[in-house]
């Protein structure tokens, strides 16, 4: 069933491409059908997770197939609670990406939905792969389709943004590949067996200097994808120029792969080096939180504003991961999900406004609450969710991160709290400029369509559920996080 999660998306991608010959509308429905099958598969895996909670291992689904056996590379997939949650987020936001592309994409729809589904397949592969070479292979699979989504269906400076995206992500991927190969060769030198399997590499003994440089070789590519300061400059350009569906995937899913890599690989594989590096990583997290919030306030382009808020929220996640205690880790996981939902919704609203007004400039907007009351209400809801209103998902995640980080580094945590003042400033300033004041557009268009109302309504319900029923998420992810923490403690004591 794990393999089917990827195969269904790949099959759907090719089907969407070829059905364009019969009807221009067919690729959309193929994408919807493909994601609906993914939901059924997810439901089956969810049931399996519920039944497996009393097992001694956190991994409740596993698949191993021989691949390149001569070099110790296997097609090894496995799923735990963390993977399940992130794949569920991927499928949910896949629907949202299709929905937001429904009327925006008017040419080469088959190839567009091919790239969209192919990108989702690569992302699911990243969340399932427990062979490091397979992980890298999946990591690359999601980058190339995103390049095409930005460069073909993007806005005025799409070529520049797409090339910048590829340079940052592919350049850092090369570093990741070198680090993976070096790590496997060292393990081969120590144990006599060449393997890229995650579980065999977990207990590899490394010299401190070697471990530190290898850890950096993993840390930098994941921070580029997160992104964290100073590796963030590609994000605002990519978001600004990408079509709405690509922005939904970028903000809601692809950024999460960087955080997943830090959680899954960097700290478990290099516990001592990560522990020594933690103060620097937490400092980068704090800088990202404040820098993103300040830059968001200074933006005049709506999509750039939302992009910089993502950098700020990802800083919370970096801070929480390197605090490495259960409160902070669980807070990071909830923030991953909550930010994925709220940021995707805000980009969908930005796309809807751009489709109606043909501009993203805040100075050309204003007074839209009257003609667009439902869209305005939804924008206000997701803005206050993004700034961390109590009772919603972002609040719960950031609160747990701060509680966990305070026990590790009180000074950095207190500085990070300043973001709780800056977030309302940029969020409410955005609402003020877009929806209040005199009406600047003579014909702002119609209010939310049924499709937009349904899509954003589902995301609103998900945000509320994450806030008031976070325990469900905590129950599902806590077992995996506890096992990783236990491995970290045992390794550090040796």
């Amino acid at each position: 069933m794990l393999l089917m999660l990827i195969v269904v998306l790949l099959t759907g991608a090719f089907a969407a491409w070829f059905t364009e010959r019969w009807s221009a509308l067919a690729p959309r429905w193929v994408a919807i059908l493909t994601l609906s099958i993914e939901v059924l598969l997810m439901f089956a895996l969810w049931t399996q997770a519920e039944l497996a909670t009393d097992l001694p291992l956190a991994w409740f689904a596993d698949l191993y197939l021989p691949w390149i056996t001569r070099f110790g590379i296997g097609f090894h997939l496995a799923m735990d609670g963390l993977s399940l949650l992130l794949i569920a987020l991927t499928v949910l936001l896949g629907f949202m990406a299709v929905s937001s592309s429904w009327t925006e994409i008017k040419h080469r729809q088959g190839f567009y939905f091919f790239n969209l589904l192919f990108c989702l397949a690569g992302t699911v592969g990243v969340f399932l792969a427990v062979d490091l070479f397979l992980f890298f292979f999946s990591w690359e699979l999601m980058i190339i389709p995103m390049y095409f989504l930005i460069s073909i269906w993007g806005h005025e400076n799409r070529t520049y943004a797409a090339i910048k995206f590829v340079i940052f992500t592919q350049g850092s991927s090369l570093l990741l590949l070198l680090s993976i190969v070096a790590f496997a060769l060292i393990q081969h030198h120590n144990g006599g067996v060449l393997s890229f399997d995650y579980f065999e590499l977990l207990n590899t003994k490394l010299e401190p200097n070697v471990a530190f440089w290898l850890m950096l070789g993993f840390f930098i590519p994941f921070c580029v994808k997160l992104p964290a300061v100073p590796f963030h400059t590609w994000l605002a350009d990519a978001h600004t120029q990408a079509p709405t569906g690509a922005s939904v995937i970028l903000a809601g899913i692809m950024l999460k792969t960087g955080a997943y890599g830090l959680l899954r690989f960097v700290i478990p594989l290099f516990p001592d080096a990560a522990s020594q590096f933690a103060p620097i990583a937490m400092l980068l997290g704090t800088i990202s939180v404040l820098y993103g919030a300040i830059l968001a306030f200074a933006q005049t382009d709506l999509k750039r504003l939302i992009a910089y808020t993502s950098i700020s929220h990802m800083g919370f996640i970096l801070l929480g991961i390197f605090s490495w205690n259960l409160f902070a880790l669980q807070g990071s996981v909830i923030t991953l999900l909550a930010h994925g939902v709220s940021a995707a919704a805000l980009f969908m609203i930005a796309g809807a406004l751009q489709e109606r007004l043909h501009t993203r400039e805040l100075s050309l907007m204003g007074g839209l609450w009257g003609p667009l009351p439902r869209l305005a209400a939804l924008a206000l809801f997701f803005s206050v969710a993004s700034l961390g209103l109590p009772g919603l998902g972002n609040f719960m995640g950031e609160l747990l991160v701060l509680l966990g980080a305070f026990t590790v580094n009180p000074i950095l945590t207190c500085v990070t709290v300043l973001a709780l003042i800056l977030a309302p400033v940029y969020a409410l300033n955005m609402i003020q400029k877009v929806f209040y004041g005199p009406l600047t557009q003579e014909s702002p268009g119609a209010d939310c369509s049924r499709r937009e109302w349904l899509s954003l309504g589902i995301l609103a319900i998900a945000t509320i559920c994450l806030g008031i029923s976070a325990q469900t998420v905590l129950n599902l992810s806590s077992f995996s996080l506890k096992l990783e923490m236990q491995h970290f403690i045992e390794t550090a004591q040796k």
Side-chain angles (χ1 to χ4, degrees), residues 261-493:
L262 295 173
L263 263 174
R264 179 69 76 208
F265 297 108
V266 171
I267 296 181
L269 291 177
F270 313 102
D272 292 335
S275 177
Q276 293 171 7
F277 189 70
I280 298 175
M282 293 177 71
L283 178 63
L284 289 178
T286 299
I287 292 172
S288 299
V289 169
L290 298 177
Y291 179 83
I294 293 170
L295 265 288
F297 179 73
Q299 299 307 308
T300 59
D301 184 301
L302 181 56
K303 291 185 80 173
R304 288 185 78 88
L305 188 157
I306 302 169
Y308 278 108
T309 66
S310 294
I311 295 173
S312 182
H313 289 292
M314 292 300 105
F316 272 103
I317 292 169
L318 183 59
L319 181 71
I321 290 174
F322 276 86
S323 298
W324 204 250
N325 58 59
L326 195 56
F327 271 129
L329 290 176
Q330 290 185 324
S332 296
V333 172
I334 293 181
T335 305
L336 280 175
L337 301 175
H339 173 264
V341 172
S342 61
L346 286 173
F347 275 113
M348 290 172 69
I349 291 169
L353 288 172
Q354 184 173 8
E355 202 172 347
R356 287 164 171 79
L357 308 176
H358 307 291
T359 182
R360 300 184 303 271
E361 279 298 312
L362 293 173
S363 60
L364 300 178
M365 300 181 187
L368 295 174
W369 193 286
L372 306 174
R374 288 184 291 184
L375 197 61
L378 287 165
L380 179 60
F381 174 82
F382 287 110
S383 296
V384 297
S386 178
L387 64 84
L389 185 74
L392 301 178
N394 297 64
F395 169 78
M396 182 58 69
E398 291 172 4
L399 176 65
L400 288 173
V401 167
L402 293 174
L403 283 174
F406 188 80
T407 62
V408 179
N409 196 324
I411 296 175
L412 280 182
T413 308
C414 290
V415 175
T416 307
V417 169
L418 291 175
L420 301 183
I421 301 172
L422 297 172
V425 173
Y426 67 67
L428 298 180
N429 181 56
M430 177 186 73
I431 293 295
Q432 173 68 33
K433 288 183 175 178
V434 175
F435 294 105
Y436 288 98
L439 184 63
T440 57
Q441 297 278 340
E442 293 182 1
S443 303
D447 201 2
C448 272
S449 65
R450 290 180 182 175
R451 173 181 50 78
E452 292 169 330
W453 185 247
L454 175 64
S455 303
L456 293 170
I458 291 172
L459 294 182
I461 292 171
T463 301
I464 295 170
C465 289
L466 282 171
I468 63 176
S469 185
Q471 192 60 45
T472 304
V473 174
L474 298 180
N475 289 342
L476 201 54
S477 63
S478 64
F479 199 39
S480 307
L481 299 177
K482 284 177 182 174
L483 276 184
E484 289 195 356
M485 286 185 62
Q486 184 181 348
H487 170 76
F488 175 82
I489 293 169
E490 289 174 353
T491 307
Q493 289 175 343

Side-chain angles (χ1 to χ4, degrees), residues 121-198:
T123 309
V124 171
V126 165
F127 292 141
L128 290 178
V130 285
D131 181 284
L132 266 64
F133 188 85
L134 179 61
F135 173 83
F136 177 79
F137 185 77
S138 304
W139 184 266
E140 292 294 294
L141 276 186
M142 66 181 178
I143 292 175
I144 302 304
M146 182 55 66
Y147 166 80
F148 286 121
L149 288 173
I150 297 173
S151 63
I152 297 177
W153 293 276
H155 300 296
E156 58 275 12
N157 292 320
R158 56 184 178 272
T159 303
Y160 165 77
I163 291 174
K164 190 173 182 180
F165 167 75
V166 168
I167 289 174
F168 270 80
T169 52
Q170 290 290 75
S172 59
S173 294
L174 178 61
L175 180 60
L176 179 62
L177 176 62
L178 291 174
S179 303
I180 289 173
V181 171
F183 193 18
L185 290 176
I186 291 171
Q187 196 268 351
H188 175 245
H189 182 265
N190 291 343
V193 178
L194 182 60
S195 174
F196 288 83
D197 196 275
Y198 172 72

